Amino acid sequence: MKVLIGGGGTGGHVFPAIAIAQALRKIDPQIDILFVGAKDKIEMEKVPAAGFKIIGLPAAGFQRKKFFRNLSLPFKLASCMMQSRRIIKDFKPDIAVGVGGYASGPILRAAANQGVPIVLQEQNSHAGVTNQILAKKAKRIFTAYDGMEKYFEKEKISFAGNPVRADIADIKASRDEALEYFGLSGDKPVVFSVGGSLGAGTINKSLMAHLDDFENAGIQLVWQTGKYYYDNIMSALEGKKYNNVHPMAFVKRMDLAYKAADVVVSRSGALSVSELCLAAKPVIFIPSPNVAEDHQTKNAMALVNKGAAAIVTDAEAAEKLFDEVSSLVADSNRRAEYSANISKLAVKDSADLIAKEIMGMVK
């Protein structure tokens, strides 16, 4: 059996795709899986690291702020379509899975045009443009939120939640192991800040302004800055000594970061929300304002309205984030309430559900 998985661009697309591939391989170890992503994006590193083959296309998205860069888009799209047709012809997949992102459109369209059945996985409460376009040709659309009938035909929708990596779906490590991994003390509270795989400028600025407060309060900060911000942050910290602040470009062991944390500060992308539900961690969401239809705020409010999380707006983060963090760290009852309520929203075995349905469609 041959399965093609197309898409990527951010961790929110790539990690669910890897989780689906791992679940497919668990069902059939002999399955042949090929990823198709965008050159120079995160998938070109993370997919091979997970043990899967990938081909990169010269795919790119529309640049709202740098309009002149869009002049090359028609040429890139034409090249992507030519390469996609060749990939489908050579690989001959039995089914193609689209997870959204730059490369998903050309490769899934090429698959559908050559008679390959396609299925989509939509992570967000607001469907991405690529998936909305591809939906007409899709046999099945796996969603993670209710009310997706406003984007897709109801009979095609299958609610399955968002697939997360196996190590986060089933965290086996102890807290002592997690503390040791990050060089943390068990006598002080731990805050884990994560702004997505690429980082978040607002969160980083808000934390940077209060590093002395973290140090003086005895709150340990595991701080994923994102690779784009790391060098500048380390330059700004040169000559300063913080025993409680631990910046790093990218956290490889997210399972240990969640295990160590008493409180998490996070963007509210779909994958982050799904992981935090499974990890059952008290979280303060800072939704990104730079997303379609403000869907990160909608993702966060779905939890806030159920007493499962707190929220600080991006505009207020610099002023309010540290106060909200220190308040939640000090309030064990509120943390326990958030943990209990967020765990009720977890969708377990999402990747397995999707993989089984994919296998069933092919057979």
Side-chain angles (χ1 to χ4, degrees):
M1 179 173 167
K2 293 185 175 184
V3 177
L4 183 143
I5 300 178
T10 68
H13 294 304
V14 175
F15 294 125
I18 291 173
I20 292 170
Q22 290 170 335
L24 286 166
R25 186 161 281 175
K26 188 165 63 174
I27 296 172
D28 179 5
Q30 303 303 316
I31 197 167
D32 192 359
I33 299 174
L34 175 66
F35 281 76
V36 176
K39 287 181 177 178
D40 303 321
K41 294 297 181 180
I42 186 175
E43 56 265 33
M44 302 308 294
E45 174 191 349
K46 300 300 177 185
V47 169
F52 297 98
K53 298 174 292 184
I54 186 167
I55 296 174
L57 299 176
F62 185 82
Q63 298 289 327
R64 292 180 176 85
K65 296 182 179 179
K66 299 177 180 177
F67 190 78
F68 69 92
R69 290 191 178 181
N70 297 315
L71 297 176
S72 63
L73 278 182
F75 304 100
K76 288 182 177 179
L77 181 59
S79 176
C80 285
M81 288 306 303
M82 287 179 60
Q83 292 182 50
S84 294
R85 286 193 287 268
R86 193 178 308 119
I87 290 168
I88 298 299
K89 186 177 180 181
D90 292 343
F91 184 61
K92 297 182 176 63
D94 295 296
I95 195 166
V97 183
V99 296
Y102 300 140
S104 183
I107 194 67
L108 268 292
R109 182 179 288 275
N113 288 345
Q114 294 189 43
V116 178
I118 70 170
V119 299
L120 306 176
Q121 198 266 323
E122 175 55 58
Q123 300 92 21
N124 286 293
S125 57
H126 176 83
V129 174
T130 301
N131 276 350
Q132 289 188 56
I133 294 171
L134 292 169
K136 294 178 182 178
K137 298 188 176 185
K139 303 293 185 184
R140 186 86 79 254
I141 303 164
F142 300 102
T143 64
Y145 286 87
D146 296 327
M148 299 303 286
E149 295 85 359
K150 58 188 172 185
Y151 303 110
F152 307 124
E153 295 174 44
K154 186 176 181 179
E155 60 271 16
K156 291 184 177 182
I157 294 174
S158 179
F159 179 84
N162 270 323
V164 303
R165 291 163 287 179
D167 57 339
I168 293 169
D170 185 19
I171 300 175
K172 293 183 170 66
S174 67
R175 189 161 193 264
D176 286 342
E177 183 182 344
L179 293 173
E180 182 180 353
Y181 180 85
F182 291 105
L184 302 171
S185 168
D187 300 327
K188 300 176 184 178
V190 177
V191 173
F192 173 43
S193 173
V194 54
S197 57
L198 303 179
T202 299
I203 294 178
N204 288 338
K205 289 176 185 176
S206 302
L207 294 174
M208 180 69 79
H210 291 280
L211 296 184
D212 289 340
D213 294 319
F214 276 96
E215 190 72 14
N216 295 333
I219 299 174
Q220 299 174 106
L221 175 64
V222 177
W223 180 11
Q224 179 176 287
T225 66
K227 64 179 182 179
Y228 294 129
Y229 301 96
Y230 180 74
D231 289 341
N232 287 338
I233 286 172
M234 295 310 293
S235 294
L237 293 178
E238 193 171 350
K240 299 179 181 179
K241 182 172 176 58
Y242 291 106
N243 294 319
N244 292 326
V245 178
H246 304 269
M248 53 197 74
F250 189 81
V251 174
K252 294 181 179 179
R253 291 294 303 272
M254 288 291 287
D255 58 327
L256 296 181
Y258 286 139
K259 194 71 176 182
D262 296 292
V263 171
V264 177
V265 174
S266 176
R267 287 300 200 197
S268 46
L271 180 62
S272 297
V273 172
S274 297
E275 288 183 350
L276 287 160
C277 288
L278 285 165
K281 286 294 172 178
V283 57
I284 300 168
F285 285 121
I286 305 177
S288 170
N290 306 312
V291 294
E293 300 295 320
D294 197 24
H295 69 255
Q296 285 206 8
T297 296
K298 295 173 184 175
N299 291 351
M301 290 307 299
L303 277 70
V304 172
N305 290 335
K306 295 179 180 179
I311 187 171
V312 173
T313 68
D314 192 82
E316 296 175 330
E319 178 186 352
K320 295 185 176 181
L321 178 58
F322 178 76
D323 289 341
E324 184 64 29
V325 167
S326 57
S327 173
L328 187 54
V329 165
D331 192 340
S332 59
N333 290 333
R334 185 154 68 111
R335 293 203 313 274
E337 179 184 350
Y338 284 172
S339 290
N341 290 339
I342 200 171
S343 67
K344 297 174 186 175
L345 304 176
V347 180
K348 297 181 179 179
D349 304 322
S350 176
D352 292 333
L353 292 172
I354 293 172
K356 287 176 183 176
E357 198 157 342
I358 288 171
M359 297 290 282
M361 290 174 68
V362 175
K363 289 180 180 179

